[in-house]
Amino acid sequence: MPSNAPIGVFDSGIGGLTVVREIMRQIPNETIVYFGDTARVPYGNKSKETIITYSRQIVKFLQTQEVKAIVIACNTASAFALETIASEVSIPIIGVVKPGARVAAEATQNGNIGIIGTEGTIGSRIYNQYLSEMNPSVNVYGKACPLFVPLVEEGWLRDPVTVEVAKRYMSELQGKGIDTLVLGCTHYPLIRHVISSIVGDEVTLVNPAYETARTLKEVLESSGIESITPATNHKFYVSDGAEKFKEFANTILPCEVAEIKGVSVGA
Ligand code: DGL
């Protein structure tokens, strides 16, 4: 695979753009092919089998774009499908969960870590598993926040309804003494300001996107496939709602997104 081949990135919707933004900042030479599965969002309330099927279809599509590596920019798909998909493809494939857990394990001072994510991610207990491997003495408190993804996809990033919903979810983490909170869904950094205003400055918010981009950079370098020429034409695909997606993409990303193509990846 040539080193100027693109990186495939996917999510259920717009959340993965928070990871793309970080990749563009840290490794600007890399060209991105993004797929947002907007016809089937949310992933967070679906079964492991369904998420593996969807992820497999998307990876197959990304491989038709001749990507040299894939980032699963979705915690739910990373939790449920990374291991299976990684055993099926021969290019490097990384998820967002392990990088996020690593930052949280390093950031906590008192060992009390909160994780917020989809029902799938929290129910999988994958963050608990990685965190206890990294530091067996940490206490991990998970809280599923299923209404956050539709609120973000709706664009209600500063709406009073979003603030109210966030207060209710965060109240369940109160009293646990957490000093670190992982935004364990790639949609959540888009409402980081709301979450932060509720939990307060004394709680460190961890966005796994930063560490994921760093991990990608390391993987590309160690495989000798990092791009040494400037990024060319980033491509964005969705399974539905291309126009709405384009508006979002242009508010989130540091580059202009001129075109979003619709594509069906289902069997
Ligand atoms: N943004 C994804 C995640 O990180 C998926 C959210 C969803 O579709 O429910 O989990």
Side-chain angles (χ1 to χ4, degrees), residues 136-157:
S137 66
V138 294
N139 302 308
V140 181
Y141 302 97
K143 171 73 193 136
C145 307
L147 294 176
F148 280 170
V149 168
L151 288 167
V152 169
E153 290 280 329
E154 195 55 32
W156 290 15
L157 306 184

Side-chain angles (χ1 to χ4, degrees), residues 42 44-45 117-120 122 143-151 165 169 188:
N45 56 8
T118 65
E119 282 168 326
I122 299 302
K143 171 73 193 136
C145 307
L147 294 176
F148 280 170
V149 168
L151 288 167
V165 169
Y169 284 145
Y188 298 179

Side-chain angles (χ1 to χ4, degrees), residues 11-16 37 40-46 51 73-78 96 117-119 121 146 149-150 153 183-188:
D11 178 43
S12 60
I14 59 169
D37 202 359
R40 302 189 290 198
V41 65
Y43 277 12
N45 56 8
K46 297 191 169 71
I51 299 304
C74 170
N75 285 262
T76 315
S78 299
V96 285
T118 65
E119 282 168 326
T121 301
V149 168
E153 290 280 329
L183 305 177
C185 170
T186 52
H187 282 69
Y188 298 179

Side-chain angles (χ1 to χ4, degrees), residues 83-101:
E83 213 181 317
T84 306
I85 303 290
S87 69
E88 296 172 354
V89 297
S90 55
I91 55 174
I93 176 157
I94 66 169
V96 285
V97 174
K98 204 171 193 173

Side-chain angles (χ1 to χ4, degrees), residues 3-266:
S3 63
N4 63 354
I7 308 285
V9 182
F10 75 91
D11 178 43
S12 60
I14 59 169
L17 294 176
T18 60
V19 179
V20 170
R21 175 171 64 185
E22 211 41 62
I23 295 172
M24 287 178 170
R25 271 190 201 140
Q26 292 188 37
I27 30 179
N29 279 347
E30 300 300 336
T31 301
I32 306 291
V33 176
Y34 185 86
F35 179 81
D37 202 359
T38 42
R40 302 189 290 198
V41 65
Y43 277 12
N45 56 8
K46 297 191 169 71
S47 70
K48 179 172 181 168
E49 291 68 32
T50 299
I51 299 304
I52 290 175
T53 302
Y54 289 177
S55 301
R56 209 176 255 140
Q57 291 167 344
I58 296 166
V59 165
K60 208 165 146 198
F61 165 71
L62 290 172
Q63 288 194 295
T64 67
Q65 303 292 305
E66 307 206 317
V67 296
K68 65 182 173 185
I70 290 175
V71 178
I72 304 185
C74 170
N75 285 262
T76 315
S78 299
F80 284 159
L82 175 62
E83 213 181 317
T84 306
I85 303 290
S87 69
E88 296 172 354
V89 297
S90 55
I91 55 174
I93 176 157
I94 66 169
V96 285
V97 174
K98 204 171 193 173
R102 193 160 48 232
V103 179
E106 281 162 13
T108 187
Q109 300 287 316
N110 69 7
N112 295 325
I113 299 174
I115 312 288
I116 52 174
T118 65
E119 282 168 326
T121 301
I122 299 302
S124 75
R125 297 182 63 81
I126 190 159
Y127 273 101
N128 308 55
Q129 186 194 315
Y130 282 135
L131 281 163
S132 62
E133 278 164 27
M134 289 165 189
N135 180 352
S137 66
V138 294
N139 302 308
V140 181
Y141 302 97
K143 171 73 193 136
C145 307
L147 294 176
F148 280 170
V149 168
L151 288 167
V152 169
E153 290 280 329
E154 195 55 32
W156 290 15
L157 306 184
R158 292 174 191 274
D159 195 277
V161 171
T162 307
V163 176
E164 223 26 67
V165 169
K167 277 188 187 154
R168 193 148 161 186
Y169 284 145
M170 292 311 117
S171 70
E172 288 185 42
L173 288 172
Q174 261 159 22
K176 312 276 192 228
I178 61 165
D179 70 349
T180 303
L181 179 64
V182 180
L183 305 177
C185 170
T186 52
H187 282 69
Y188 298 179
L190 297 168
I191 51 166
R192 183 190 180 115
H193 50 282
V194 171
I195 296 165
S196 162
S197 71
I198 295 165
V199 298
D201 289 345
E202 54 289 355
V203 175
T204 303
L205 296 189
V206 172
N207 173 5
Y210 179 84
E211 189 69 8
T212 302
R214 219 173 64 96
T215 305
L216 174 65
K217 185 170 191 282
E218 278 168 17
V219 168
L220 296 176
E221 283 169 2
S222 65
S223 313
I225 51 170
E226 76 276 24
S227 175
I228 46 166
T229 53
T232 50
N233 193 10
H234 302 299
K235 289 188 184 146
F236 297 86
Y237 295 91
V238 289
S239 46
D240 201 2
E243 269 315 302
K244 189 173 167 199
F245 189 93
K246 187 171 138 187
E247 256 173 61
F248 265 124
N250 277 308
T251 60
I252 295 167
L253 296 178
C255 64
E256 206 217 320
V257 178
E259 191 189 17
I260 311 272
K261 288 191 181 142
V263 66
S264 166
V265 297

